[in-house]
Amino acid sequence: MDQEIQEAKSLYYGYKQYFSDYLPALTKLGLKVVMALLVFVGGRKVIQWFVSFIKKSMERASVDKGVIQFTGSLLRIVLYILLVFSIATHFGVKESSIAALLGTAGVTVGLALQGGLANIAGGIMLLIFKPFQVGDYIIIAQQNGCEGTVYKIEICYTTLISIDNKHIVIPNGTLSGSIITNVTARDLRKLEIKVGISYDSDIKKAKAILEEILHNDEDTKDDQGMVVFVDELGESAVVMGLRVWVATEKYWPARWRLNELIKEAFDANGIEIPYNQLQVHVKKQI
């Protein structure tokens, strides 16, 4: 019994001595960790405020929205790296150790994330040469069915909104190396419509009807090379064509409206729009 008591006392005094020796160091370390967390939280709020301030300043300066988004994304990453570096050096980590660590990590991450670096480079190229801006409607040739309105341009990815409101996220590296059709880059867009009429119909009358429709439409530009023509003598119809300039944002409403007006006007004036026809000759054998 006495031996067990002595062992308990020895264990107690051992723990007491251990805490006496290391408690100041542990307390100091704990305070450093708490301070580091507080500095990180405060620094995070400062970074958010600063990035927001830069974005608003760029907006007041009428900078392109895509440039604002890209700059904000890049600035946020750089500032967080600087914040972590500052906290580490302030709480006892040597600059040379951090520099060596960053160098090694940079090489490793660079090899592992070659695609990511290509995306960053692609984003920079997109902002320099500006093949499109936020709000433009684009079509990417190499990506079948990939088209939509540019929603945001970030450091690695560009987001499109499709016609049916789906988000399409494209890596900037892929986008910068693709053939891009910018549908809304210009204020005006040429509208072309073709319609077939019967061979028995009056071509001059059909042309006059089409010209009248174009001149009376509110969205067509009379002074921008409006033309009506015979495009083709097809197998089952004479194909009439028209070309007219319209405002880019009015393109689809104008196209749908003109198709409806043409059908109604042709029906009212006896201009037949034929179906595909196949003429069969039957010869009687004698």
Side-chain angles (χ1 to χ4, degrees), residues 143-269:
Q143 308 294 322
N144 187 28
C146 187
E147 60 181 273
T149 303
V150 180
Y151 176 64
K152 58 182 176 180
I153 305 171
E154 294 184 307
I155 188 168
C156 289
Y157 298 95
T158 294
T159 303
L160 309 182
I161 303 295
S162 66
I163 294 177
D164 54 350
N165 206 34
K166 292 184 293 189
H167 275 222
I168 304 173
V169 181
I170 308 170
N172 287 336
T174 301
L175 199 56
S176 64
S178 301
I179 298 174
I180 300 170
T181 302
N182 192 334
V183 178
T184 56
R186 308 301 294 258
D187 294 334
L188 294 179
R189 188 174 173 188
K190 181 166 283 188
L191 170 62
E192 181 175 12
I193 295 177
K194 294 180 181 179
V195 57
I197 65 172
S198 169
Y199 273 93
D200 295 330
S201 299
D202 188 340
I203 293 179
K204 293 186 181 298
K205 184 178 181 180
K207 287 183 67 175
I209 292 171
L210 293 177
E211 289 172 352
E212 182 181 1
I213 290 173
L214 293 182
H215 284 295
N216 292 336
D217 190 82
E218 58 184 10
D219 292 331
T220 57
K221 308 293 182 181
D222 290 349
D223 57 343
Q224 297 287 337
M226 182 184 295
V227 59
V228 177
F229 53 92
V230 177
D231 183 69
E232 182 185 357
L233 300 177
E235 295 179 355
S236 302
V238 178
V239 180
M240 307 292 296
L242 63 88
R243 289 176 183 165
V244 64
W245 290 95
V246 297
T248 301
E249 66 273 11
K250 300 291 185 64
Y251 178 86
W252 287 108
R255 185 181 186 88
W256 298 328
R257 183 175 60 255
L258 288 175
N259 279 328
E260 183 177 349
L261 291 174
I262 290 170
K263 176 64 169 65
E264 292 175 348
F266 278 6
D267 289 347
N269 288 274

Side-chain angles (χ1 to χ4, degrees), residues 104-156:
T104 305
V107 173
T108 305
V109 172
L111 292 174
L113 300 177
Q114 292 183 18
L117 295 176
N119 290 336
I120 294 174
I124 294 172
M125 295 292 288
L126 292 174
L127 291 178
I128 292 174
F129 295 104
K130 292 186 178 180
F132 55 82
Q133 299 178 0
V134 173
D136 286 344
Y137 190 95
I138 63 173
I139 302 172
I140 295 90
Q142 285 87 339
Q143 308 294 322
N144 187 28
C146 187
E147 60 181 273
T149 303
V150 180
Y151 176 64
K152 58 182 176 180
I153 305 171
E154 294 184 307
I155 188 168
C156 289

Side-chain angles (χ1 to χ4, degrees), residues 18-74:
Y18 177 83
F19 281 110
S20 297
D21 293 339
Y22 292 100
L23 185 59
L26 291 173
T27 303
K28 187 176 180 180
L29 177 62
L31 289 175
K32 284 185 176 182
V33 171
V34 172
M35 287 298 296
L37 291 174
L38 291 175
V39 171
F40 181 81
V41 172
R44 183 181 178 184
K45 291 186 179 296
V46 172
I47 289 173
Q48 291 174 346
W49 173 84
F50 183 71
V51 171
S52 177
F53 173 76
I54 294 297
K55 283 185 174 181
K56 289 179 180 178
S57 299
M58 295 175 73
E59 287 174 358
R60 286 194 294 268
S62 300
V63 178
D64 176 62
K65 192 173 181 180
V67 176
I68 296 174
Q69 293 173 344
F70 185 90
T71 302
S73 179
L74 180 61

